[in-house]
Coordinates of all heavy atoms in Angstrom, one line a residue:
L4 N 97.9 142.7 15.5 CA 97.2 143.6 16.4 C 95.7 143.1 16.4 O 95.2 142.9 15.3 CB 97.2 145.0 16.0 CG 98.5 145.8 16.2 CD1 99.6 145.4 15.1 CD2 98.3 147.3 16.0
G55 N 103.9 155.7 27.3 CA 102.6 156.0 27.9 C 102.5 157.3 28.7 O 101.5 157.7 29.2
G66 N 88.4 165.2 25.6 CA 87.6 165.2 26.8 C 86.6 164.1 26.9 O 86.0 163.9 28.0
L81 N 91.3 152.1 24.8 CA 90.7 153.3 24.4 C 89.4 153.3 25.2 O 88.5 152.6 24.9 CB 90.4 153.4 22.9 CG 89.7 154.8 22.5 CD1 90.8 155.9 22.6 CD2 89.2 154.7 21.1
N85 N 80.4 159.2 27.0 CA 79.4 160.2 26.4 C 79.4 160.0 24.9 O 79.4 161.0 24.2 CB 79.8 161.6 26.8 CG 78.6 162.6 26.5 OD1 77.5 162.1 26.5 ND2 79.0 163.8 26.4
K99 N 103.2 152.3 15.4 CA 104.1 153.1 14.6 C 105.5 152.8 15.0 O 105.9 153.0 16.2 CB 103.8 154.6 14.7 CG 104.7 155.5 14.0 CD 104.4 157.0 14.3 CE 105.4 157.9 13.7 NZ 106.7 157.7 14.4
S124 N 70.6 156.1 18.8 CA 70.1 157.3 19.4 C 68.9 157.0 20.3 O 68.4 155.9 20.4 CB 69.6 158.2 18.3 OG 68.7 157.6 17.5

Side-chain angles (χ1 to χ4, degrees):
L4 289 73
L81 184 71
N85 193 23
K99 177 184 173 295
S124 58

